[in-house]
Amino acid sequence: MTPVPEDPRATLVVCPHAGGSAAAYLKLVRACPPWLATMVVQYPGRAHRIQEPFSRSIGELAAKTAEAILTCVDGPVALLGHSMGSLVALETARILASEEREPVALYVSGRGDPATRARGDKHLLNDTQLIEHICDLGGTDRRIFDDAALRALALQVIRADYRALSTYQYHRGRLLHCPVTALNGLSDTSVSVTSSTSWAEVTHGAFAQRVFPGDHFFILEHVEAIAELVSSGLLAQLQQTATTDRAAPVTGTAR
Protein backbone atom coordinates (compact mmCIF):
# COMPACT_ATOMS: atom_id res chain seq x y z
CA MET A 1 0.00 0.00 0.00
CA THR A 2 1.33 3.42 -0.90
CA PRO A 3 1.13 6.36 1.53
CA VAL A 4 -2.31 8.01 1.42
CA PRO A 5 -2.21 11.72 0.51
CA GLU A 6 -3.55 14.02 3.22
CA ASP A 7 -6.20 15.42 0.89
CA PRO A 8 -6.48 13.18 -2.19
CA ARG A 9 -8.53 14.44 -5.13
CA ALA A 10 -9.62 10.87 -5.90
CA THR A 11 -8.90 7.24 -5.01
CA LEU A 12 -7.92 4.53 -7.48
CA VAL A 13 -8.92 1.00 -6.43
CA VAL A 14 -7.14 -1.84 -8.25
CA CYS A 15 -8.65 -5.34 -8.56
CA PRO A 16 -6.01 -8.02 -9.34
CA HIS A 17 -6.12 -10.92 -11.79
CA ALA A 18 -6.95 -14.56 -10.98
CA GLY A 19 -4.22 -15.99 -8.79
CA GLY A 20 -2.82 -12.51 -8.21
CA SER A 21 -2.14 -10.57 -5.06
CA ALA A 22 -1.86 -6.89 -4.20
CA ALA A 23 1.95 -7.05 -4.33
CA ALA A 24 1.90 -7.51 -8.11
CA TYR A 25 0.52 -3.98 -8.55
CA LEU A 26 2.79 -2.05 -6.20
CA LYS A 27 4.89 -0.65 -9.06
CA LEU A 28 1.76 0.58 -10.78
CA VAL A 29 0.32 2.39 -7.76
CA ARG A 30 3.72 3.86 -6.90
CA ALA A 31 3.83 5.36 -10.40
CA CYS A 32 0.61 7.29 -9.73
CA PRO A 33 0.85 11.03 -8.90
CA PRO A 34 0.77 12.25 -5.27
CA TRP A 35 -2.73 13.70 -5.54
CA LEU A 36 -4.21 10.27 -6.28
CA ALA A 37 -4.74 7.86 -3.38
CA THR A 38 -4.38 4.18 -4.32
CA MET A 39 -5.70 0.94 -2.88
CA VAL A 40 -5.11 -2.58 -4.18
CA VAL A 41 -7.66 -5.23 -3.22
CA GLN A 42 -6.16 -8.24 -1.45
CA TYR A 43 -8.47 -11.16 -2.14
CA PRO A 44 -9.01 -13.73 0.65
CA GLY A 45 -6.72 -16.75 0.89
CA ARG A 46 -3.39 -15.04 0.21
CA ALA A 47 -0.76 -12.82 1.89
CA HIS A 48 -2.08 -11.42 5.20
CA ARG A 49 -5.52 -12.93 4.44
CA ILE A 50 -4.18 -16.44 3.94
CA GLN A 51 -6.26 -17.86 6.80
CA GLU A 52 -9.52 -16.62 5.27
CA PRO A 53 -11.58 -18.90 3.01
CA PHE A 54 -11.48 -18.19 -0.71
CA SER A 55 -14.39 -16.29 -2.19
CA ARG A 56 -16.85 -18.49 -4.03
CA SER A 57 -17.88 -16.05 -6.73
CA ILE A 58 -17.10 -12.80 -8.52
CA GLY A 59 -20.20 -11.35 -6.90
CA GLU A 60 -18.86 -12.12 -3.44
CA LEU A 61 -15.52 -10.48 -4.24
CA ALA A 62 -17.34 -7.43 -5.60
CA ALA A 63 -19.63 -7.15 -2.58
CA LYS A 64 -16.68 -7.20 -0.17
CA THR A 65 -14.75 -4.69 -2.29
CA ALA A 66 -17.72 -2.32 -2.48
CA GLU A 67 -18.25 -2.62 1.27
CA ALA A 68 -14.62 -1.66 1.92
CA ILE A 69 -14.87 1.33 -0.41
CA LEU A 70 -18.12 2.57 1.13
CA THR A 71 -16.63 2.20 4.60
CA CYS A 72 -13.12 3.54 4.07
CA VAL A 73 -13.08 5.87 1.06
CA ASP A 74 -14.41 9.41 0.84
CA GLY A 75 -14.64 11.39 -2.36
CA PRO A 76 -14.43 10.28 -6.00
CA VAL A 77 -13.41 6.69 -6.72
CA ALA A 78 -12.07 5.08 -9.90
CA LEU A 79 -11.75 1.34 -10.46
CA LEU A 80 -9.10 -0.54 -12.42
CA GLY A 81 -9.29 -4.31 -12.87
CA HIS A 82 -7.04 -6.68 -14.75
CA SER A 83 -8.31 -9.93 -16.31
CA MET A 84 -10.63 -11.50 -13.71
CA GLY A 85 -10.25 -8.24 -11.79
CA SER A 86 -12.08 -6.44 -14.61
CA LEU A 87 -15.22 -8.38 -13.76
CA VAL A 88 -14.73 -7.71 -10.05
CA ALA A 89 -14.33 -4.01 -10.86
CA LEU A 90 -17.46 -3.98 -13.04
CA GLU A 91 -19.65 -5.63 -10.44
CA THR A 92 -18.17 -3.41 -7.73
CA ALA A 93 -19.00 -0.34 -9.84
CA ARG A 94 -22.59 -1.54 -10.19
CA ILE A 95 -22.96 -1.99 -6.43
CA LEU A 96 -21.47 1.46 -5.80
CA ALA A 97 -23.87 2.96 -8.36
CA SER A 98 -26.82 1.40 -6.54
CA GLU A 99 -25.57 3.14 -3.39
CA GLU A 100 -25.30 6.51 -5.18
CA ARG A 101 -21.49 6.25 -5.21
CA GLU A 102 -20.87 5.36 -8.83
CA PRO A 103 -17.17 5.57 -9.70
CA VAL A 104 -15.99 8.46 -11.83
CA ALA A 105 -14.24 6.04 -14.19
CA LEU A 106 -13.83 2.32 -14.85
CA TYR A 107 -10.70 0.84 -16.42
CA VAL A 108 -10.84 -2.78 -17.58
CA SER A 109 -7.64 -4.50 -18.62
CA GLY A 110 -6.87 -7.82 -20.29
CA ARG A 111 -10.46 -8.98 -20.49
CA GLY A 112 -12.67 -9.44 -23.55
CA ASP A 113 -16.45 -9.25 -23.83
CA PRO A 114 -17.78 -9.54 -20.25
CA ALA A 115 -20.77 -11.49 -21.57
CA THR A 116 -18.53 -14.32 -22.82
CA ARG A 117 -18.53 -17.17 -20.32
CA ALA A 118 -15.11 -18.28 -19.15
CA ARG A 119 -14.16 -21.90 -19.71
CA GLY A 120 -15.41 -23.71 -16.66
CA ASP A 121 -12.75 -26.38 -16.43
CA LYS A 122 -9.47 -24.56 -15.89
CA HIS A 123 -9.55 -25.27 -12.15
CA LEU A 124 -9.85 -28.98 -13.00
CA LEU A 125 -6.60 -29.12 -14.97
CA ASN A 126 -3.85 -31.24 -13.44
CA ASP A 127 -0.85 -29.46 -11.95
CA THR A 128 1.30 -29.69 -15.07
CA GLN A 129 -1.46 -28.45 -17.36
CA LEU A 130 -2.37 -25.58 -15.06
CA ILE A 131 1.24 -24.48 -14.71
CA GLU A 132 1.67 -24.50 -18.49
CA HIS A 133 -1.50 -22.47 -18.92
CA ILE A 134 -0.39 -19.86 -16.38
CA CYS A 135 3.09 -19.59 -17.85
CA ASP A 136 1.71 -19.27 -21.39
CA LEU A 137 -0.17 -16.14 -20.29
CA GLY A 138 3.12 -14.53 -19.28
CA GLY A 139 3.73 -12.40 -16.20
CA THR A 140 4.60 -15.37 -13.96
CA ASP A 141 8.11 -16.46 -13.08
CA ARG A 142 8.14 -20.20 -13.72
CA ARG A 143 10.69 -20.62 -10.92
CA ILE A 144 7.98 -20.19 -8.26
CA PHE A 145 6.73 -23.63 -9.30
CA ASP A 146 10.13 -25.21 -8.61
CA ASP A 147 9.57 -25.09 -4.87
CA ALA A 148 7.02 -27.69 -3.77
CA ALA A 149 5.48 -25.57 -1.00
CA LEU A 150 5.20 -22.45 -3.15
CA ARG A 151 3.81 -24.49 -6.03
CA ALA A 152 1.10 -26.05 -3.87
CA LEU A 153 0.06 -22.66 -2.46
CA ALA A 154 0.09 -20.91 -5.83
CA LEU A 155 -1.97 -23.63 -7.51
CA GLN A 156 -4.47 -23.63 -4.68
CA VAL A 157 -5.01 -19.87 -5.07
CA ILE A 158 -5.23 -20.06 -8.86
CA ARG A 159 -7.72 -22.93 -8.79
CA ALA A 160 -9.92 -21.12 -6.27
CA ASP A 161 -10.04 -17.98 -8.41
CA TYR A 162 -10.72 -19.94 -11.60
CA ARG A 163 -13.51 -21.79 -9.81
CA ALA A 164 -15.10 -18.46 -8.85
CA LEU A 165 -14.58 -17.16 -12.38
CA SER A 166 -16.22 -20.23 -13.94
CA THR A 167 -19.53 -19.45 -12.22
CA TYR A 168 -19.71 -15.84 -13.39
CA GLN A 169 -22.55 -14.92 -15.72
CA TYR A 170 -22.86 -11.40 -17.02
CA HIS A 171 -26.27 -9.75 -16.78
CA ARG A 172 -26.87 -6.53 -18.66
CA GLY A 173 -28.90 -4.98 -15.86
CA ARG A 174 -28.57 -1.32 -15.01
CA LEU A 175 -25.96 0.46 -17.11
CA LEU A 176 -23.28 2.68 -15.62
CA HIS A 177 -22.91 6.34 -16.57
CA CYS A 178 -19.17 6.73 -16.01
CA PRO A 179 -16.59 6.53 -18.82
CA VAL A 180 -15.14 3.07 -19.44
CA THR A 181 -11.69 2.44 -20.90
CA ALA A 182 -10.54 -0.98 -22.12
CA LEU A 183 -6.81 -1.75 -22.08
CA ASN A 184 -5.32 -4.53 -24.19
CA GLY A 185 -1.99 -6.19 -24.90
CA LEU A 186 -1.26 -6.36 -28.61
CA SER A 187 0.23 -9.86 -28.34
CA ASP A 188 -2.29 -11.22 -25.84
CA THR A 189 -3.39 -14.51 -27.40
CA SER A 190 -6.09 -15.03 -24.75
CA VAL A 191 -7.95 -11.75 -25.33
CA SER A 192 -8.54 -10.21 -28.75
CA VAL A 193 -8.55 -6.45 -29.11
CA THR A 194 -11.84 -6.66 -31.01
CA SER A 195 -13.66 -8.54 -28.25
CA SER A 196 -12.85 -5.81 -25.71
CA THR A 197 -14.92 -3.24 -27.61
CA SER A 198 -17.99 -4.92 -26.09
CA TRP A 199 -17.20 -3.13 -22.84
CA ALA A 200 -18.83 -0.07 -24.42
CA GLU A 201 -22.17 -1.77 -23.73
CA VAL A 202 -21.86 -1.61 -19.93
CA THR A 203 -22.22 2.18 -19.76
CA HIS A 204 -24.19 5.12 -21.09
CA GLY A 205 -20.94 7.08 -20.80
CA ALA A 206 -17.98 7.42 -23.10
CA PHE A 207 -15.92 4.42 -24.17
CA ALA A 208 -12.26 4.35 -25.17
CA GLN A 209 -9.70 1.66 -25.90
CA ARG A 210 -5.94 1.66 -25.62
CA VAL A 211 -3.61 -1.05 -26.91
CA PHE A 212 -0.12 -1.59 -25.49
CA PRO A 213 2.76 -3.77 -26.64
CA GLY A 214 2.97 -7.03 -24.75
CA ASP A 215 1.12 -10.19 -23.79
CA HIS A 216 -1.67 -10.76 -21.27
CA PHE A 217 0.32 -9.12 -18.48
CA PHE A 218 1.27 -5.99 -20.42
CA ILE A 219 -0.14 -3.99 -17.50
CA LEU A 220 2.84 -4.99 -15.35
CA GLU A 221 5.31 -3.97 -18.06
CA HIS A 222 3.98 -0.48 -18.78
CA VAL A 223 3.24 0.85 -15.31
CA GLU A 224 4.37 4.43 -16.00
CA ALA A 225 2.33 4.73 -19.21
CA ILE A 226 -0.78 3.22 -17.62
CA ALA A 227 -0.45 5.36 -14.49
CA GLU A 228 -0.22 8.41 -16.74
CA LEU A 229 -3.22 7.30 -18.80
CA VAL A 230 -5.36 6.73 -15.73
CA SER A 231 -4.29 9.82 -13.78
CA SER A 232 -4.61 12.21 -16.75
CA GLY A 233 -8.03 10.78 -17.58
CA LEU A 234 -9.18 11.13 -13.98
CA LEU A 235 -7.87 14.68 -13.77
CA ALA A 236 -9.80 15.64 -16.90
CA GLN A 237 -12.91 13.93 -15.53
CA LEU A 238 -12.64 15.73 -12.18
CA GLN A 239 -12.12 19.08 -13.89
CA GLN A 240 -15.14 18.48 -16.12
CA THR A 241 -17.26 17.59 -13.09
CA ALA A 242 -16.12 20.72 -11.26
CA THR A 243 -16.94 22.88 -14.29
CA THR A 244 -20.38 21.31 -14.59
CA ASP A 245 -21.08 21.88 -10.91
CA ARG A 246 -20.08 25.53 -11.17
CA ALA A 247 -22.25 25.97 -14.24
CA ALA A 248 -25.34 24.42 -12.62
CA PRO A 249 -28.24 26.90 -12.56
CA VAL A 250 -29.19 28.43 -9.23
CA THR A 251 -32.85 27.96 -8.37
CA GLY A 252 -34.89 30.20 -6.13
CA THR A 253 -36.69 33.51 -6.08
CA ALA A 254 -34.77 36.74 -6.68
CA ARG A 255 -35.19 39.46 -4.10
Side-chain angles (χ1 to χ4, degrees), residues 88-235:
V88 177
L90 169 63
E91 298 302 332
T92 300
R94 287 174 154 181
I95 296 171
L96 293 177
S98 71
E99 298 290 337
E100 307 299 328
R101 282 287 307 276
E102 181 169 340
V104 295
L106 172 63
Y107 295 86
V108 291
S109 168
R111 170 72 195 192
D113 186 348
T116 300
R117 293 290 298 270
R119 279 184 54 189
D121 61 350
K122 286 193 179 74
H123 61 285
L124 301 176
L125 297 173
N126 65 41
D127 289 359
T128 300
Q129 292 170 327
L130 188 55
I131 289 170
E132 287 305 313
H133 166 71
I134 294 301
C135 292
D136 285 346
L137 290 175
T140 301
D141 188 343
R142 185 182 289 268
R143 289 175 295 181
I144 71 168
F145 297 115
D146 292 338
D147 180 274
L150 286 177
R151 180 172 63 249
L153 179 59
L155 292 178
Q156 183 183 29
V157 170
I158 293 166
R159 282 200 170 92
D161 287 351
Y162 274 154
R163 188 177 297 111
L165 185 59
S166 71
T167 65
Y168 177 78
Q169 185 169 0
Y170 171 77
H171 296 285
R172 182 175 173 83
R174 178 181 176 183
L175 300 185
L176 300 172
H177 290 84
C178 66
V180 174
T181 303
L183 312 177
N184 292 91
L186 184 61
S187 303
D188 186 353
T189 58
S190 65
V191 178
S192 72
V193 173
T194 303
S195 69
S196 294
T197 60
S198 296
W199 281 97
E201 299 174 10
V202 307
T203 185
H204 290 297
F207 174 76
Q209 186 174 33
R210 288 289 303 272
V211 181
F212 293 83
D215 56 23
H216 187 64
F217 284 100
F218 69 93
I219 189 171
L220 303 180
E221 301 171 0
H222 301 283
V223 292
E224 291 84 3
I226 292 172
E228 168 61 24
L229 171 70
V230 171
S231 59
S232 61
L234 286 179
L235 198 56

Side-chain angles (χ1 to χ4, degrees), residues 54-70:
F54 295 112
S55 293
R56 296 165 294 181
S57 67
I58 299 298
E60 185 177 324
L61 286 170
K64 294 293 187 182
T65 301
E67 180 183 6
I69 292 171
L70 291 169

